[in-house]
Amino acid sequence: MTLSKNYKYSYKKSGVNVSLGNELIKKISPYAKETKIPGTISNLGGFGGVFDLRKKKYKDPLLVTTTDGVGTKIILAKTLDDYSTIGIDLVAMSVNDLIVQGAEPLLFLDYLAVKKLNIKKVTSIIKGIKNGCLSAGCALIGGETAELSDLYNNDNFDLAGFALGIV
């Protein structure tokens, strides 16, 4: 049986540039490595982040989860053409919801949806997320960057995050 490479559907035909995505992972992986804390096991590029909770040595721990986005602050970042701090804000919104419940922030995941990957813009956003994680003392262990060419127009995008903490 021979497989044909003339697929009717493909990532490329749907507007997703896998090579550019791989280039992005190489550029942003050092940011995630800077945020490693005891318990961080995985690196970017997998299908999920792995964290060893035993390294935190809590007795009878409780996990606290939060999720948030930056909302209309995206408009401000686009207007100023400055994406360097929107990631810090993203982490802060989620981590704030953890700490008011008495939780120590452990890890953070991001979700960025764009029309087309712009390495410079996305790298700036992820660097901001890294800076937010460093300020909060949590590890950036993964996330998702989705190219959705049929959903977004122009330079519109969405940004959301997920944080996990421990009490």
Side-chain angles (χ1 to χ4, degrees):
M1 177 164 117
T2 339
L3 293 176
S4 168
K5 292 190 180 193
N6 295 323
Y7 299 111
K8 183 176 179 180
Y9 302 103
S10 69
Y11 280 121
K12 187 174 185 175
K13 287 180 181 178
S14 70
V16 175
N17 186 332
V18 175
S19 298
L20 200 56
N22 290 335
E23 181 184 332
L24 176 65
I25 289 171
K26 285 180 186 173
K27 283 193 173 290
I28 64 175
S29 287
Y31 298 154
K33 285 180 184 173
E34 284 184 56
T35 68
K36 283 193 171 191
I37 62 172
T40 306
I41 294 175
S42 59
N43 295 313
L44 296 187
F47 292 101
V50 180
F51 191 89
D52 185 352
L53 198 54
R54 295 172 296 187
K55 301 291 184 190
K56 297 306 286 183
K57 302 191 187 299
Y58 273 80
K59 185 176 179 166
D60 298 323
L62 298 173
L63 298 177
V64 181
T65 59
T66 64
T67 189
D68 213 332
V70 293
T72 57
K73 293 173 190 129
I74 290 172
I75 297 168
L76 183 59
K78 284 173 48 178
T79 301
L80 297 173
D81 193 30
D82 182 356
Y83 300 92
S84 64
T85 60
I86 198 167
I88 297 170
D89 187 67
L90 179 67
V91 175
M93 296 302 96
S94 291
V95 167
N96 184 62
D97 292 346
L98 289 176
I99 62 176
V100 298
Q101 296 180 71
E104 171 193 351
L106 292 178
L107 57 92
F108 191 82
L109 300 161
D110 66 272
Y111 177 79
L112 176 61
V114 299
K115 179 179 179 72
K116 293 279 183 200
L117 276 181
N118 175 322
I119 295 288
K120 183 178 177 185
K121 184 189 304 183
V122 174
T123 300
S124 181
I125 292 169
I126 302 300
K127 187 174 183 182
I129 291 171
K130 176 221 38 168
N131 290 337
C133 287
L134 288 172
S135 293
C138 63
L140 172 59
I141 67 165
E144 173 73 14
T145 303
E147 281 186 290
L148 304 170
S149 60
D150 291 338
L151 186 59
Y152 293 98
N153 43 7
N154 303 324
D155 60 348
N156 291 331
F157 66 94
D158 200 9
L159 181 63
F162 165 86
L164 176 77
I166 189 169
V167 176

